[in-house]
Amino acid sequence: MTDRRPFERLPTDVRPVNYGLCIKPDLIDFTFEGKLEASVQVKNATNQIVMNCADIDIITASYAPEGDEEVHATGFNYQNEDEKVTLSFPSTLQKGAGMLKIDFVGELNDKMKGFYRSKYTTTAGVVRYAAVTQFEATDARRAFPCWDEPAIKATFDVILIVPKDRVALSNMNLIDRKPYPDDENLVEVKFARTPITSTYLVAFVVGEYDFVETRSADGVLVRVYTPVGKAEQGKFALEVAAKTLPFYKDYFNVPYPLPKIDLIAIADFAAGAMENWGLVTYRETALLIDPKNSCSSSRQWVALVVGHELAHQWFGNLVTMEWWTHLWLNEGFASWIEYLCVDHCFPEYDIWTQFVSADYTRAQELDALENSHPIEVNVGHPSEVDEIFDAISYSKGASVIRMLHDYIGDEDFRKGMNQYLTKFQEKNAATEDLWESLEQASGKPIAAVMSTWTKQMGFPIICVESQESEDSVVLKLSQKKFCASGAQNIDDSYQWMVPISICTSESPASATVKILMDKPEMTVVLEGVKPHQWVKLNPGTVGFYRTRYSTEMLESLLPGIQDLSLQPVDRLGLQNDLFSLARAGMINTVEVLKVMEAFVNEPNYTVWSDLSCNLGILSTLLSHTDFHEEIQCFVRDVFSPIGQRLGWDPKPGEGHLDALLRGLVLGKLGKAGHQPTLEEARRRFKEHVEGRNALSADLRSPVYVTVLKHGDSSTLETMMKLHKQADMQEERNRIERVLGAIAEQELMEKVLSFSLSEDVRPQDTVSVIGGVAGGSKLGRKCAWNFVKDNWEELHNRYQGGFLISRLIKLSLDGFASDKMAAEIKAFFDAHPAPSVERTVQQCCENILLNADWLKRDAEAIHHYLVQRKASSSTV
């Protein structure tokens, strides 16, 4: 890390009890004026008050002890590096209650953090700005001076002074709206007092919106605010929210504590959404659904994000982590329960199988690196906090909670959750507090088990061998840390307490045996297993580990893929484990290709989706060889039977998953240059553009990417036109993500400069550049050069923020030479950016691993693909 003075939390001499806040934004000059009247408690006599404050100018400050004279502060000392201000007083402030008053001014910035401006176009085509907030993790201090730490909770009374034709919202319900005395065009809007809450959850929005509303079964007023004229598009999210609130109330057995909840779509928004208590903000694409123009995956994403943010209203808002070290609890928990909630609302989504592909395998990929980190990270300075909003906090966090829920059982888990939420409501808690509640509810050694998963990084690979006798099987299990490099000789200090379940072909979906593996090696005896039956670890792919079977055990499992006797999530898990073993050099990649060919009968969308990701990784790797066309041919062979079965048009009785599968398969075939798919895509695209026959939303991505990949400058021009005409942000994003598929360098460069133009919202630039990098070998080179050339602008635009980390990951992960890793390291040594340090290290590690993988397996893969082709052409 770069040398910094040690980070210190705020002194505890003075504590806020209530913030009275009056804020007056100027939507023309992009400034705001604020008045803070905070009732505080002086705990220790002091002559200074230290608060957080960033990009704010304090005009006057005073303190009045209860029933005594007001004392004016004589100095404001800003420590900009630490985002703090010290107010100095001429005399000592004695212990007791008092009122701190501060008048200040600030800027409505364009950085998507703090109190910022968000650009939108009215239905009449006029460009205007809304004023909105994003405070997590440490940006409330950009809107008002405050004690900006999650454990310093207080209540808030908010007043907003705004133009009378604008909507003004905050966490609580409106209680008064009256004309502003100094200006007849303004009104003063007053909101009810919040419960005791952390600063990062406070929010205000001023802009133009329509809304739809309903009451949930438990009487909470739910509203979804949309851009003007798009209220219809809020209905889907409204339905989900209205079903979700009672579900959580019932699950936690704790009522939702506020009278209302608003969900609002914000044009410029860095994250997916933010769980501000009672006023949840979203990207438009995470909230708005148009029955005609939204695809199935968008619906699913909206449902998950709504489920995630509403879970935080309890877990995070009512009970808050004591410090950012425990952020994972908030995010991991919400990322797990969002699936439970969607499964409750939409059982037809088969969402738990999708969890394994979206979260579990993604977390394992990152967590096998030497540059991973434990779930619990000690963070100090705000710039370090940004970095931990990553796949470890969210996806590994969610995966270990899923494993824990399975280990405890639903009933005891809910009992423990209720105890935790009741005990700590309106307070703060640490990871250990949750373990204690769950331990009391279940009687199992939760703290001992879980600390092995949260306090050390990585996860185990379990090696299994079996010996058969008459009617029993003896399994020998051993655990070791799984390393992406395949290193076997690592230190043995890594040990996990692993809940292991084992099933047999008798009942593939349920565990015959459950044990807790708490030592390096164990022997398990399975009674009554016949020689012809297979034995499998980890049914449901719930345990957070990879499995390496002996050759015989694996051989007996593979038919279960073809005859579908293994459940979908286990077919997926088996393939994913093998792929990662091949990446790590523990088996040859050819072995995995053979297994992939066994998936011809596969009906399940998520299994295909995971297979497709892995083939994508392999295809990217082999783009560095001269036989890239051979792997494309392999992809066409694997995907064309299912493509033929599905066809282009939905059949009667099909559902959500069929739509997702059709889009996935056609896109994969189109990109790989499958001639019939390409011709049909071009035909449909032409009809779509000419307005004769619009493409259904689910077919747009696959058709767009196919015609672009094999298109020229006029195809790109047509796409740009569609982008300009699109009224829905979802459609714009859909186009932005695929533009990078274009094959000519000159056109790629056009796409890259488009990414920084006015036509692309700042949060979406990243996916345009990422699309170019992921599109081809040439695209990767162009995108990296573009990022280097525009580094100042990009870095300045996203400051710390996780968008910059995502940009780096998307642009760099596909390289595969030691030379490239060295170049990247040198660039970031010369352009230090503390909040992306870890991401850069992870990317360099991945690039070196890719280089090793190529050296090790390229020849064997090539040989296999050529042989395969030869033998299939002679048949």
Side-chain angles (χ1 to χ4, degrees):
M1 277 291 183
T2 33
D3 292 332
R4 291 203 191 95
R5 281 177 298 142
F7 169 78
E8 284 177 17
R9 292 210 212 171
L10 295 170
T12 53
D13 303 334
V14 181
R15 277 289 189 254
V17 179
N18 172 265
Y19 290 82
L21 262 183
C22 178
I23 304 266
K24 179 168 169 261
D26 181 331
L27 300 174
I28 308 299
D29 292 338
F30 305 138
T31 56
F32 61 89
E33 295 167 31
K35 280 187 187 334
L36 169 65
E37 297 195 2
S39 52
V40 301
Q41 201 68 37
V42 178
K43 304 273 193 194
N44 300 305
T46 176
N47 59 0
Q48 54 180 36
I49 295 179
V50 184
M51 303 168 76
N52 290 115
C53 175
D55 305 331
I56 278 178
D57 288 319
I58 293 175
I59 295 159
T60 60
S62 68
Y63 177 75
E66 219 162 55
D68 207 343
E69 297 284 279
E70 183 172 32
V71 191
H72 282 272
T74 46
F76 317 135
N77 178 18
Y78 297 94
Q79 293 110 282
N80 291 336
E81 180 65 13
D82 290 340
E83 304 183 340
K84 289 175 186 168
V85 65
T86 302
L87 310 177
S88 308
F89 292 89
S91 53
T92 303
L93 314 179
Q94 299 303 330
K95 278 167 71 161
M99 180 67 74
L100 173 69
K101 290 186 184 178
I102 303 179
D103 288 3
F104 57 94
V105 290
E107 173 199 12
L108 278 180
N109 70 66
D110 58 356
K111 301 275 187 271
M112 296 189 282
K113 61 184 191 178
F115 198 14
Y116 72 92
R117 59 186 190 260
S118 168
K119 184 171 149 184
Y120 64 97
T121 310
T122 65
T123 37
V126 183
V127 170
R128 287 198 184 141
Y129 289 85
V132 302
T133 56
Q134 167 61 37
F135 291 164
E136 190 180 23
T138 56
D139 293 316
R141 62 193 67 174
R142 288 171 205 283
F144 55 96
C146 56
W147 286 265
D148 198 10
E149 295 181 0
I152 309 179
K153 289 187 165 188
T155 54
F156 291 79
D157 296 320
V158 176
I159 293 176
L160 297 175
I161 295 165
V162 302
K164 60 182 182 201
D165 60 349
R166 300 296 149 100
V167 173
L169 301 169
S170 186
N171 305 77
M172 298 298 291
N173 47 308
L174 184 146
I175 49 174
D176 191 25
R177 182 187 167 99
K178 56 178 192 235
Y180 180 62
D182 305 351
D183 183 342
E184 58 179 22
N185 295 312
L186 300 180
V187 288
E188 191 172 299
V189 184
K190 186 175 187 200
F191 300 92
R193 177 168 290 189
T194 67
I196 296 172
T197 183
S198 302
T199 48
Y200 79 89
L201 293 165
V202 174
F204 4 101
V205 175
V206 181
E208 298 176 275
Y209 301 94
D210 285 345
F211 67 85
V212 283
E213 69 175 7
T214 187
R215 267 190 199 281
S216 71
D218 39 8
V220 180
L221 179 65
V222 187
R223 283 184 174 176
V224 175
Y225 283 85
T226 71
V228 174
K230 297 190 174 176
E232 279 295 291
Q233 295 179 16
K235 285 191 165 158
F236 178 75
L238 185 70
E239 249 170 81
V240 177
K243 268 190 187 164
T244 297
L245 285 170
F247 172 72
Y248 286 147
K249 177 193 168 182
D250 182 51
Y251 194 85
F252 299 130
N253 199 9
V254 173
Y256 173 74
L258 310 186
K260 63 95 176 174
I261 188 158
D262 298 326
L263 293 73
I264 185 167
I266 306 291
D268 295 324
F269 198 76
M274 174 62 211
E275 70 266 21
N276 317 299
W277 215 355
L279 176 57
V280 185
T281 47
Y282 293 79
R283 272 192 189 202
E284 288 185 7
T285 48
L287 191 67
L288 305 180
I289 290 294
D290 171 353
K292 268 217 280 300
N293 292 302
S294 289
C295 59
S296 306
S297 58
S298 294
R299 270 169 215 278
Q300 180 175 300
W301 194 45
V302 168
L304 284 168
V305 179
V306 170
H308 180 100
E309 304 309 330
L310 295 192
H312 278 310
Q313 307 300 306
W314 284 262
F315 209 95
N317 301 7
L318 183 62
V319 177
T320 310
M321 70 249 150
E322 195 279 326
W323 184 248
W324 300 109
T325 302
H326 304 280
L327 169 84
W328 86 273
L329 252 196
N330 257 9
E331 295 307 346
F333 185 85
S335 302
W336 166 76
I337 205 166
E338 69 186 62
Y339 283 86
L340 199 70
C341 156
V342 167
D343 194 42
H344 164 78
C345 295
F346 304 99
E348 71 278 12
Y349 284 9
D350 180 31
I351 202 77
W352 278 116
T353 306
Q354 295 194 54
F355 175 89
V356 174
S357 180
D359 283 277
Y360 173 100
T361 57
R362 232 183 88 224
Q364 289 192 339
E365 208 169 295
L366 181 54
D367 204 25
L369 298 178
E370 280 171 31
N371 286 297
S372 181
H373 62 87
I375 281 181
E376 286 185 62
V377 190
N378 283 319
V379 285
H381 196 273
S383 68
E384 296 170 19
V385 179
D386 279 331
E387 243 197 319
I388 57 171
F389 284 81
D390 66 0
I392 298 292
S393 295
Y394 284 74
S395 299
K396 182 181 182 182
S399 300
V400 299
I401 285 174
R402 174 169 165 259
M403 170 168 74
L404 172 69
H405 173 264
D406 184 70
Y407 172 60
I408 293 177
D410 192 59
E411 195 181 327
D412 285 347
F413 186 84
R414 288 169 71 164
K415 218 167 30 192
M417 289 307 311
N418 170 268
Q419 187 190 322
Y420 170 80
L421 288 169
T422 312
K423 181 174 174 185
F424 292 101
Q425 59 185 323
E426 299 199 331
K427 298 193 188 71
N428 296 78
T431 304
E432 290 68 36
D433 297 313
L434 179 62
W435 297 164
E436 194 181 314
S437 294
L438 290 170
E439 200 154 299
Q440 285 175 359
S442 67
K444 291 182 171 169
I446 305 303
V449 171
M450 292 309 286
S451 61
T452 67
W453 296 96
T454 64
K455 291 193 187 312
Q456 59 183 355
M457 71 177 201
F459 59 90
I461 177 167
I462 308 285
C463 297
V464 203
E465 293 186 5
S466 72
Q467 289 159 335
E468 291 176 8
S469 59
E470 288 289 285
D471 53 355
S472 71
V473 169
V474 178
L475 297 183
K476 281 175 67 179
L477 310 179
S478 63
Q479 61 159 306
K480 255 204 166 61
K481 181 180 187 302
F482 178 71
C483 296
S485 64
Q488 300 283 344
N489 53 354
I490 37 152
D491 70 47
D492 288 338
S493 62
Y494 282 99
Q495 277 293 303
W496 285 265
M497 291 178 77
V498 194
I500 287 189
S501 27
I502 301 168
C503 69
T504 67
S505 43
E506 278 300 272
S507 57
S510 59
T512 332
V513 174
K514 286 190 167 196
I515 54 162
L516 186 63
M517 181 170 182
D518 53 5
K519 36 184 175 294
E521 297 185 348
M522 272 180 105
T523 304
V524 184
V525 179
L526 301 178
E527 298 293 351
V529 179
K530 307 283 181 289
H532 64 276
Q533 293 175 353
W534 50 251
V535 172
K536 183 183 183 305
L537 262 66
N538 208 4
T541 314
V542 176
F544 196 72
Y545 55 88
R546 295 214 179 267
T547 310
R548 185 182 188 177
Y549 294 99
S550 65
T551 316
E552 308 76 52
M553 286 185 81
L554 186 60
E555 293 292 316
S556 70
L557 279 169
L558 292 178
I561 291 177
Q562 252 171 326
D563 64 21
L564 308 180
S565 59
L566 279 167
Q567 46 177 352
V569 68
D570 289 333
R571 303 197 290 271
L572 187 162
L574 200 55
Q575 175 267 132
N576 197 285
D577 271 355
L578 289 170
F579 188 76
S580 70
L581 291 178
R583 258 180 120 164
M586 295 161 115
I587 59 175
N588 194 300
T589 309
V590 172
E591 298 304 309
V592 188
L593 292 174
K594 290 177 182 164
V595 170
M596 286 177 165
E597 293 183 90
F599 281 88
V600 286
N601 304 324
E602 182 56 57
N604 184 284
Y605 159 71
T606 314
V607 177
W608 274 114
S609 162
D610 198 71
L611 189 68
S612 162
C613 278
N614 288 339
L615 272 171
I617 290 168
L618 200 54
S619 169
T620 299
L621 182 78
L622 298 177
S623 67
H624 301 281
T625 66
D626 51 9
F627 59 91
H628 191 231
E629 178 43 43
E630 265 76 14
I631 191 77
Q632 299 314 305
C633 171
F634 182 82
V635 170
R636 296 194 294 267
D637 286 352
V638 170
F639 278 85
S640 47
I642 177 82
Q644 264 167 333
R645 285 205 299 277
L646 285 165
W648 279 79
D649 299 301
K651 305 178 180 57
E654 279 189 354
H656 175 79
L657 293 162
D658 301 291
L660 292 180
L661 181 57
R662 178 172 290 109
L664 172 80
V665 170
L666 293 175
K668 200 74 178 169
L669 285 168
K671 267 197 300 201
H674 181 249
Q675 212 46 44
T677 305
L678 174 56
E679 283 161 23
E680 183 63 8
R682 283 181 173 151
R683 189 182 70 75
R684 291 187 181 230
F685 182 66
K686 191 167 182 293
E687 292 197 343
H688 176 67
V689 174
E690 291 167 356
R692 285 185 302 172
N693 195 354
L695 280 165
S696 73
D698 282 315
L699 286 177
R700 283 181 207 169
S701 276
V703 167
Y704 292 170
V705 78
T706 301
V707 297
L708 272 166
K709 178 100 179 141
H710 309 279
D712 53 19
S713 58
S714 74
T715 322
L716 183 62
E717 223 159 279
T718 308
M719 276 325 264
M720 295 291 205
K721 227 178 253 148
L722 288 180
H723 183 273
K724 234 185 170 48
Q725 292 162 0
D727 176 44
M728 250 198 118
Q729 194 51 29
E730 178 188 325
E731 173 74 357
R732 279 204 198 111
N733 282 167
R734 188 181 287 133
I735 294 168
E736 286 159 3
R737 277 200 292 270
V738 298
L739 288 174
I742 199 86
E744 287 172 46
Q745 180 161 352
E746 194 185 324
L747 301 177
M748 283 173 193
E749 281 162 5
K750 206 167 157 181
V751 171
L752 288 166
S753 48
F754 171 72
S755 75
L756 284 174
S757 71
E758 285 288 299
D759 296 318
V760 178
R761 287 188 179 165
Q763 71 265 25
D764 299 321
T765 299
V766 172
S767 52
V768 180
I769 299 173
V772 175
S776 60
K777 184 184 176 182
L778 181 60
R780 236 180 334 275
K781 213 169 108 183
C782 293
W784 167 233
N785 287 332
F786 182 80
V787 168
K788 280 189 298 189
D789 295 343
N790 295 277
W791 179 249
E792 291 310 311
E793 182 178 347
L794 289 163
H795 188 237
N796 181 38
R797 178 186 275 204
Y798 303 120
Q799 301 271 304
F802 61 91
L803 279 171
I804 192 93
S805 296
R806 183 171 299 167
L807 173 69
I808 287 170
K809 195 170 166 37
L810 288 170
S811 325
L812 301 182
D813 255 359
F815 286 111
S817 71
D818 303 8
K819 187 168 148 286
M820 211 44 230
E823 180 187 320
I824 290 161
K825 188 181 175 312
F827 178 81
F828 286 103
D829 284 347
H831 303 82
S835 65
V836 297
E837 226 163 305
R838 182 177 275 137
T839 306
V840 171
Q841 287 163 346
Q842 288 165 348
C843 287
C844 289
E845 183 178 346
N846 266 326
I847 292 169
L848 296 173
L849 289 167
N850 286 342
D852 288 346
W853 189 8
L854 266 181
K855 282 182 210 126
R856 202 173 52 233
D857 279 3
E859 213 167 301
I861 296 171
H862 188 196
H863 183 70
Y864 176 72
L865 293 175
V866 170
Q867 249 195 331
R868 206 183 143 270
K869 220 168 166 178
S871 65
S872 66
S873 56
T874 54
V875 172

